Amino acid sequence: MSEREIKILAIESSCDETAAAVVVNGRDVRSNVISSQIALHTLYGGVVPEIASRKHIEKINQVIAQALADAETSLNDIDAVGVTCGPGLVGALLVGVAEAKAISFAKNIPLVGVHHIEGHISANYIENRELEPPFLCLVVSGGHTHLVKVLDYGVYEVLGKTRDDAAGEAFDKVARAIGLGYPGGPKIEKAAEKGNPHAVEFPRSKIADSPYDFSFSGLKSAVLNYLNGCKMKGIPIVQADVAASFQKAVTDVLIGNAMRAVEEYGIEKFAIAGGVASNGTLREGMRRACEEKGVAFYHPSPILCTDNAAMIGAAAYYDFIAGKRAGLDLNAVPNLKLGENL
Ligand code: KG4
Ligand code: ZN
């Protein structure tokens, strides 16, 4: 007997991407539309929350209409609406949440509130049809660095997270400091291609009492100190070498902590997710480390690593079939914790 099709319209607006997607049964992406505000925020060297909210308002209807058209469907054929309700920028989140509530009310279809990190993790289900929990996932984005045990669909145990800056945030701050601008991740990766990763030995921070937690602010300060030192001594800065050495330090820490957990918990499947997971050096390093340990390695395509709504549709599906529903009182929660009841 064929499985009934559950067609979800998913909406994501937590930061600087206005996105909508149509996803069937959690893994079949019928459309995935992303309107990026990167060019706009580049003018200011980072995301300006107020501008992000306004741009979401301008774009959201357009993006949804495009997602429905690309999927050759209409709101009359949608079974549920899934929307990111946190964490993220409150004004940005509110635009998606209000839109999703309006559609849910007007079409009398269920509403599902999705945790943004749960979305990133679920991006792995889309191109890896065979992937099922349990697995370990490292979520590395602009706002988060979480090492998460995915015990079952929608059931998570956070093993570790950053104590200060997120990995993506460190990329962005260091990129700004060495004059590469915003967004830092892709620019550092590009610059690093021509650099020597062993040119500068930046510190690899460890948290003594918590082997799975991360800290990147010390690394960021070390880069700033190095730049200041060069300036004072009149030594020219080789941008590519600093980028490559910084990238190596971040990826060494991410790979080290993740592999420690893989060993300690006897993990058989490991996945990465989030914007930083599109970084080629990190992907290659993780692939090699997993291969050495005989662990299956999963990662989404770069376009599904950075913010998108297809991943929200994947997560919303598993919440939907588990019977989770949000009411019309669903609100944006900027600091929503993973696993927290909505
Ligand atoms: O997941 P995402 O799109 O948004 C958040 O949920 O934060 O991640 C954005 C972050 C930014 O900090 C960006 O610099 C970083 O991901 N990023 C990268 C790369 N592409 C994006 N970091 C390293 N290498 C990349 N190729
Ligand atoms: Zn994200």
Side-chain angles (χ1 to χ4, degrees):
M1 205 178 69
S2 71
E3 198 182 0
R4 182 172 106 75
E5 281 199 349
I6 307 282
K7 197 182 270 185
I8 292 187
L9 170 68
I11 299 171
E12 155 65 39
S13 69
S14 67
C15 190
D16 59 348
E17 262 94 29
T18 320
V22 174
V23 182
V24 171
N25 291 353
R27 304 202 184 215
D28 178 4
V29 177
R30 299 281 169 92
S31 64
N32 187 23
V33 179
I34 304 167
S35 170
S36 173
Q37 305 175 3
I38 284 181
L40 185 64
H41 297 290
T42 299
L43 300 171
Y44 305 94
V47 178
V48 183
E50 186 54 36
I51 293 177
S53 316
R54 285 189 213 172
K55 210 66 199 164
H56 285 311
I57 292 171
E58 274 175 44
K59 290 283 176 188
I60 194 141
N61 286 323
Q62 230 173 298
V63 163
I64 291 172
Q66 191 63 52
L68 292 168
D70 288 358
E72 296 176 358
T73 190
S74 77
L75 285 180
N76 295 331
D77 202 24
I78 294 292
D79 296 292
V81 190
V83 64
T84 308
C85 56
L89 301 169
V90 68
L93 287 164
L94 276 170
V95 178
V97 169
E99 181 80 19
K101 289 201 286 194
I103 293 172
S104 162
F105 179 70
K107 291 291 172 188
N108 195 23
I109 49 176
L111 177 66
V112 180
V114 176
H115 192 289
H116 185 75
I117 295 183
E118 181 167 19
H120 276 303
I121 294 170
S122 303
N124 279 287
Y125 297 136
I126 295 169
E127 293 159 312
N128 303 296
R129 300 278 170 117
E130 75 289 5
L131 176 63
E132 297 205 29
F135 60 95
L136 180 71
C137 188
L138 175 73
V139 187
V140 268
S141 72
H144 315 280
T145 306
H146 278 51
L147 192 56
V148 183
K149 260 193 189 177
V150 182
L151 302 171
D152 200 346
Y153 293 107
V155 185
Y156 307 99
E157 182 189 341
V158 178
L159 294 183
K161 53 186 174 187
T162 184
R163 295 276 178 106
D164 38 60
D165 291 351
E169 193 180 352
F171 269 94
D172 294 334
K173 288 177 176 171
V174 167
R176 195 176 312 149
I178 60 175
L180 287 171
Y182 175 83
K187 294 203 167 167
I188 292 218
E189 179 169 21
K190 184 97 197 71
E193 281 169 15
K194 296 195 179 72
N196 171 9
H198 302 288
V200 193
E201 279 307 310
F202 291 126
R204 275 75 169 152
S205 338
K206 283 202 172 75
I207 312 277
D209 55 339
S210 183
Y212 306 123
D213 276 349
F214 304 88
S215 167
F216 294 109
S217 72
L219 170 58
K220 175 194 65 191
S221 303
V223 175
L224 296 178
N225 288 342
Y226 171 79
L227 297 175
N228 279 337
C230 288
K231 204 169 156 191
M232 278 161 60
K233 291 180 215 147
I235 302 170
I237 289 155
V238 184
Q239 219 180 31
D241 282 350
V242 179
S245 302
F246 162 77
Q247 182 174 264
K248 177 93 174 74
V250 175
T251 50
D252 279 357
V253 169
L254 294 173
I255 295 168
N257 283 16
M259 290 305 124
R260 196 169 303 126
V262 159
E263 215 151 86
E264 162 99 19
Y265 293 97
I267 299 292
E268 291 171 4
K269 293 179 270 183
F270 174 73
I272 52 173
V276 183
S278 61
N279 183 282
T281 302
L282 178 64
R283 289 159 88 91
E284 183 48 25
M286 286 294 192
R287 190 194 60 70
R288 249 184 287 121
C290 285
E291 198 175 84
E292 269 168 30
K293 297 206 180 301
V295 170
F297 175 52
Y298 299 89
H299 55 80
S301 291
I303 192 67
L304 293 173
C305 285
T306 44
D307 288 350
N308 66 87
M311 67 183 197
I312 302 303
Y317 170 74
Y318 290 102
D319 286 345
F320 179 85
I321 59 171
K324 294 182 195 166
R325 301 287 185 273
L328 291 177
D329 58 351
L330 180 69
N331 205 353
V333 185
N335 54 359
L336 189 67
K337 303 258 182 315
L338 188 63
E340 202 172 303
N341 281 340
L342 297 167

PDB file of all heavy atoms in Angstrom, residues 21 31-32 72-73 81 98 100 107 140 151 194 198 223 252 262 274-275 277 282 285 295 297 317:
ATOM      1  N   ALA A  21       9.383  26.511   1.131  1.00  0.00           N
ATOM      2  CA  ALA A  21       9.595  25.255   0.410  1.00  0.00           C
ATOM      3  C   ALA A  21       8.340  24.402   0.517  1.00  0.00           C
ATOM      4  O   ALA A  21       7.550  24.560   1.452  1.00  0.00           O
ATOM      5  CB  ALA A  21      10.785  24.498   1.011  1.00  0.00           C
ATOM      6  N   SER A  31       9.993  22.028  -3.916  1.00  0.00           N
ATOM      7  CA  SER A  31      10.498  23.366  -4.243  1.00  0.00           C
ATOM      8  C   SER A  31      11.265  23.897  -3.039  1.00  0.00           C
ATOM      9  O   SER A  31      11.029  23.465  -1.901  1.00  0.00           O
ATOM     10  CB  SER A  31       9.344  24.316  -4.593  1.00  0.00           C
ATOM     11  OG  SER A  31       8.510  24.505  -3.472  1.00  0.00           O
ATOM     12  N   ASN A  32      12.204  24.792  -3.311  1.00  0.00           N
ATOM     13  CA  ASN A  32      13.039  25.335  -2.231  1.00  0.00           C
ATOM     14  C   ASN A  32      13.504  26.731  -2.654  1.00  0.00           C
ATOM     15  O   ASN A  32      14.485  26.875  -3.360  1.00  0.00           O
ATOM     16  CB  ASN A  32      14.241  24.400  -1.996  1.00  0.00           C
ATOM     17  CG  ASN A  32      15.051  24.797  -0.784  1.00  0.00           C
ATOM     18  OD1 ASN A  32      14.548  25.466   0.130  1.00  0.00           O
ATOM     19  ND2 ASN A  32      16.313  24.404  -0.755  1.00  0.00           N
ATOM     20  N   GLU A  72       4.301  23.193  -8.382  1.00  0.00           N
ATOM     21  CA  GLU A  72       3.067  22.974  -9.157  1.00  0.00           C
ATOM     22  C   GLU A  72       1.912  22.590  -8.241  1.00  0.00           C
ATOM     23  O   GLU A  72       1.211  21.595  -8.454  1.00  0.00           O
ATOM     24  CB  GLU A  72       3.300  21.921 -10.244  1.00  0.00           C
ATOM     25  CG  GLU A  72       4.319  22.411 -11.264  1.00  0.00           C
ATOM     26  CD  GLU A  72       4.670  21.379 -12.318  1.00  0.00           C
ATOM     27  OE1 GLU A  72       4.164  20.253 -12.249  1.00  0.00           O
ATOM     28  OE2 GLU A  72       5.457  21.733 -13.201  1.00  0.00           O
ATOM     29  N   THR A  73       1.760  23.394  -7.194  1.00  0.00           N
ATOM     30  CA  THR A  73       0.676  23.142  -6.258  1.00  0.00           C
ATOM     31  C   THR A  73       0.075  24.478  -5.825  1.00  0.00           C
ATOM     32  O   THR A  73       0.490  25.536  -6.299  1.00  0.00           O
ATOM     33  CB  THR A  73       1.190  22.308  -5.056  1.00  0.00           C
ATOM     34  OG1 THR A  73       0.083  21.875  -4.295  1.00  0.00           O
ATOM     35  CG2 THR A  73       2.141  23.091  -4.169  1.00  0.00           C
ATOM     36  N   VAL A  81       1.250  23.670   7.595  1.00  0.00           N
ATOM     37  CA  VAL A  81       2.269  24.720   7.453  1.00  0.00           C
ATOM     38  C   VAL A  81       3.284  24.554   8.579  1.00  0.00           C
ATOM     39  O   VAL A  81       2.900  24.461   9.753  1.00  0.00           O
ATOM     40  CB  VAL A  81       1.663  26.143   7.574  1.00  0.00           C
ATOM     41  CG1 VAL A  81       2.705  27.195   7.176  1.00  0.00           C
ATOM     42  CG2 VAL A  81       0.438  26.288   6.729  1.00  0.00           C
ATOM     43  N   ALA A  98       3.845  34.955  11.783  1.00  0.00           N
ATOM     44  CA  ALA A  98       2.561  35.609  11.491  1.00  0.00           C
ATOM     45  C   ALA A  98       1.994  35.113  10.162  1.00  0.00           C
ATOM     46  O   ALA A  98       0.792  34.837  10.037  1.00  0.00           O
ATOM     47  CB  ALA A  98       2.733  37.130  11.461  1.00  0.00           C
ATOM     48  N   ALA A 100       2.628  32.206   8.670  1.00  0.00           N
ATOM     49  CA  ALA A 100       2.210  30.798   8.798  1.00  0.00           C
ATOM     50  C   ALA A 100       0.876  30.700   9.542  1.00  0.00           C
ATOM     51  O   ALA A 100       0.007  29.903   9.170  1.00  0.00           O
ATOM     52  CB  ALA A 100       3.295  30.008   9.533  1.00  0.00           C
ATOM     53  N   LYS A 107      -6.806  28.713   5.681  1.00  0.00           N
ATOM     54  CA  LYS A 107      -7.034  27.445   4.964  1.00  0.00           C
ATOM     55  C   LYS A 107      -7.470  26.321   5.898  1.00  0.00           C
ATOM     56  O   LYS A 107      -7.671  25.186   5.452  1.00  0.00           O
ATOM     57  CB  LYS A 107      -5.743  27.036   4.223  1.00  0.00           C
ATOM     58  CG  LYS A 107      -5.433  27.951   3.063  1.00  0.00           C
ATOM     59  CD  LYS A 107      -6.475  27.747   1.952  1.00  0.00           C
ATOM     60  CE  LYS A 107      -6.362  28.755   0.853  1.00  0.00           C
ATOM     61  NZ  LYS A 107      -7.490  28.663  -0.099  1.00  0.00           N
ATOM     62  N   VAL A 140      26.770  23.469  13.175  1.00  0.00           N
ATOM     63  CA  VAL A 140      27.676  24.621  13.231  1.00  0.00           C
ATOM     64  C   VAL A 140      27.149  25.718  12.309  1.00  0.00           C
ATOM     65  O   VAL A 140      27.165  25.576  11.096  1.00  0.00           O
ATOM     66  CB  VAL A 140      29.128  24.244  12.818  1.00  0.00           C
ATOM     67  CG1 VAL A 140      29.948  23.853  14.012  1.00  0.00           C
ATOM     68  CG2 VAL A 140      29.159  23.140  11.770  1.00  0.00           C
ATOM     69  N   LEU A 151      18.357  11.081  19.251  1.00  0.00           N
ATOM     70  CA  LEU A 151      17.966   9.771  19.790  1.00  0.00           C
ATOM     71  C   LEU A 151      16.840   9.167  18.971  1.00  0.00           C
ATOM     72  O   LEU A 151      16.749   7.960  18.786  1.00  0.00           O
ATOM     73  CB  LEU A 151      17.543   9.918  21.257  1.00  0.00           C
ATOM     74  CG  LEU A 151      18.625  10.521  22.164  1.00  0.00           C
ATOM     75  CD1 LEU A 151      18.060  10.847  23.541  1.00  0.00           C
ATOM     76  CD2 LEU A 151      19.809   9.575  22.283  1.00  0.00           C
ATOM     77  N   LYS A 194      44.610  29.629  -0.879  1.00  0.00           N
ATOM     78  CA  LYS A 194      45.982  29.977  -1.301  1.00  0.00           C
ATOM     79  C   LYS A 194      46.912  30.142  -0.103  1.00  0.00           C
ATOM     80  O   LYS A 194      48.043  30.602  -0.246  1.00  0.00           O
ATOM     81  CB  LYS A 194      45.954  31.290  -2.104  1.00  0.00           C
ATOM     82  CG  LYS A 194      45.168  31.158  -3.400  1.00  0.00           C
ATOM     83  CD  LYS A 194      45.480  32.336  -4.331  1.00  0.00           C
ATOM     84  CE  LYS A 194      44.736  32.215  -5.639  1.00  0.00           C
ATOM     85  NZ  LYS A 194      43.286  32.456  -5.519  1.00  0.00           N
ATOM     86  N   HIS A 198      49.550  26.082   8.346  1.00  0.00           N
ATOM     87  CA  HIS A 198      50.492  25.967   9.478  1.00  0.00           C
ATOM     88  C   HIS A 198      51.323  27.243   9.649  1.00  0.00           C
ATOM     89  O   HIS A 198      52.272  27.263  10.437  1.00  0.00           O
ATOM     90  CB  HIS A 198      51.421  24.758   9.262  1.00  0.00           C
ATOM     91  CG  HIS A 198      50.645  23.483   9.105  1.00  0.00           C
ATOM     92  ND1 HIS A 198      50.008  22.880  10.166  1.00  0.00           N
ATOM     93  CD2 HIS A 198      50.351  22.751   8.003  1.00  0.00           C
ATOM     94  CE1 HIS A 198      49.376  21.810   9.719  1.00  0.00           C
ATOM     95  NE2 HIS A 198      49.553  21.708   8.418  1.00  0.00           N
ATOM     96  N   VAL A 223      43.720  35.726  17.098  1.00  0.00           N
ATOM     97  CA  VAL A 223      43.892  36.263  15.735  1.00  0.00           C
ATOM     98  C   VAL A 223      44.060  37.786  15.808  1.00  0.00           C
ATOM     99  O   VAL A 223      44.962  38.356  15.191  1.00  0.00           O
ATOM    100  CB  VAL A 223      42.694  35.895  14.818  1.00  0.00           C
ATOM    101  CG1 VAL A 223      42.837  36.565  13.456  1.00  0.00           C
ATOM    102  CG2 VAL A 223      42.579  34.380  14.654  1.00  0.00           C
ATOM    103  N   ASP A 252      39.995  21.822  13.453  1.00  0.00           N
ATOM    104  CA  ASP A 252      40.648  20.850  14.351  1.00  0.00           C
ATOM    105  C   ASP A 252      39.828  20.657  15.619  1.00  0.00           C
ATOM    106  O   ASP A 252      39.627  19.525  16.081  1.00  0.00           O
ATOM    107  CB  ASP A 252      42.049  21.344  14.760  1.00  0.00           C
ATOM    108  CG  ASP A 252      43.089  21.052  13.684  1.00  0.00           C
ATOM    109  OD1 ASP A 252      42.746  20.425  12.672  1.00  0.00           O
ATOM    110  OD2 ASP A 252      44.263  21.490  13.869  1.00  0.00           O
ATOM    111  N   VAL A 262      32.158  10.459  19.334  1.00  0.00           N
ATOM    112  CA  VAL A 262      31.906   9.270  18.501  1.00  0.00           C
ATOM    113  C   VAL A 262      32.474   8.043  19.211  1.00  0.00           C
ATOM    114  O   VAL A 262      31.827   7.005  19.314  1.00  0.00           O
ATOM    115  CB  VAL A 262      32.549   9.456  17.098  1.00  0.00           C
ATOM    116  CG1 VAL A 262      32.771   8.125  16.397  1.00  0.00           C
ATOM    117  CG2 VAL A 262      31.683  10.373  16.234  1.00  0.00           C
ATOM    118  N   GLY A 274      24.242  22.957   9.278  1.00  0.00           N
ATOM    119  CA  GLY A 274      24.418  24.394   9.527  1.00  0.00           C
ATOM    120  C   GLY A 274      25.360  25.020   8.507  1.00  0.00           C
ATOM    121  O   GLY A 274      26.109  24.323   7.808  1.00  0.00           O
ATOM    122  N   GLY A 275      25.342  26.346   8.450  1.00  0.00           N
ATOM    123  CA  GLY A 275      26.103  27.085   7.440  1.00  0.00           C
ATOM    124  C   GLY A 275      27.579  26.701   7.350  1.00  0.00           C
ATOM    125  O   GLY A 275      28.124  26.552   6.256  1.00  0.00           O
ATOM    126  N   ALA A 277      28.888  23.963   7.967  1.00  0.00           N
ATOM    127  CA  ALA A 277      29.027  22.602   7.431  1.00  0.00           C
ATOM    128  C   ALA A 277      29.205  22.611   5.918  1.00  0.00           C
ATOM    129  O   ALA A 277      29.501  21.579   5.323  1.00  0.00           O
ATOM    130  CB  ALA A 277      27.823  21.755   7.826  1.00  0.00           C
ATOM    131  N   LEU A 282      36.256  21.530   6.476  1.00  0.00           N
ATOM    132  CA  LEU A 282      35.585  20.827   7.569  1.00  0.00           C
ATOM    133  C   LEU A 282      34.965  19.521   7.056  1.00  0.00           C
ATOM    134  O   LEU A 282      35.106  18.470   7.685  1.00  0.00           O
ATOM    135  CB  LEU A 282      34.485  21.723   8.184  1.00  0.00           C
ATOM    136  CG  LEU A 282      33.697  21.069   9.304  1.00  0.00           C
ATOM    137  CD1 LEU A 282      34.581  20.764  10.510  1.00  0.00           C
ATOM    138  CD2 LEU A 282      32.525  21.959   9.746  1.00  0.00           C
ATOM    139  N   GLY A 285      37.745  17.018   6.359  1.00  0.00           N
ATOM    140  CA  GLY A 285      38.349  16.560   7.611  1.00  0.00           C
ATOM    141  C   GLY A 285      37.432  15.586   8.342  1.00  0.00           C
ATOM    142  O   GLY A 285      37.881  14.555   8.864  1.00  0.00           O
ATOM    143  N   VAL A 295      32.951   4.981  10.731  1.00  0.00           N
ATOM    144  CA  VAL A 295      31.642   5.566  11.046  1.00  0.00           C
ATOM    145  C   VAL A 295      31.038   6.138   9.751  1.00  0.00           C
ATOM    146  O   VAL A 295      31.744   6.761   8.962  1.00  0.00           O
ATOM    147  CB  VAL A 295      31.831   6.709  12.085  1.00  0.00           C
ATOM    148  CG1 VAL A 295      30.570   7.511  12.281  1.00  0.00           C
ATOM    149  CG2 VAL A 295      32.321   6.134  13.405  1.00  0.00           C
ATOM    150  N   PHE A 297      29.322   8.732   7.449  1.00  0.00           N
ATOM    151  CA  PHE A 297      29.328  10.198   7.520  1.00  0.00           C
ATOM    152  C   PHE A 297      28.273  10.785   6.580  1.00  0.00           C
ATOM    153  O   PHE A 297      28.202  10.420   5.409  1.00  0.00           O
ATOM    154  CB  PHE A 297      30.730  10.716   7.139  1.00  0.00           C
ATOM    155  CG  PHE A 297      30.832  12.210   7.055  1.00  0.00           C
ATOM    156  CD1 PHE A 297      30.400  13.018   8.097  1.00  0.00           C
ATOM    157  CD2 PHE A 297      31.372  12.826   5.928  1.00  0.00           C
ATOM    158  CE1 PHE A 297      30.487  14.404   8.026  1.00  0.00           C
ATOM    159  CE2 PHE A 297      31.467  14.212   5.841  1.00  0.00           C
ATOM    160  CZ  PHE A 297      31.023  14.999   6.898  1.00  0.00           C
ATOM    161  N   TYR A 317       7.623  17.726   9.165  1.00  0.00           N
ATOM    162  CA  TYR A 317       6.938  16.468   8.832  1.00  0.00           C
ATOM    163  C   TYR A 317       6.995  15.494  10.011  1.00  0.00           C
ATOM    164  O   TYR A 317       5.984  14.899  10.397  1.00  0.00           O
ATOM    165  CB  TYR A 317       7.569  15.839   7.590  1.00  0.00           C
ATOM    166  CG  TYR A 317       7.075  14.437   7.330  1.00  0.00           C
ATOM    167  CD1 TYR A 317       5.789  14.207   6.825  1.00  0.00           C
ATOM    168  CD2 TYR A 317       7.875  13.324   7.609  1.00  0.00           C
ATOM    169  CE1 TYR A 317       5.320  12.922   6.612  1.00  0.00           C
ATOM    170  CE2 TYR A 317       7.424  12.037   7.391  1.00  0.00           C
ATOM    171  CZ  TYR A 317       6.146  11.833   6.893  1.00  0.00           C
ATOM    172  OH  TYR A 317       5.686  10.555   6.692  1.00  0.00           O
TER     173      TYR A 317
END
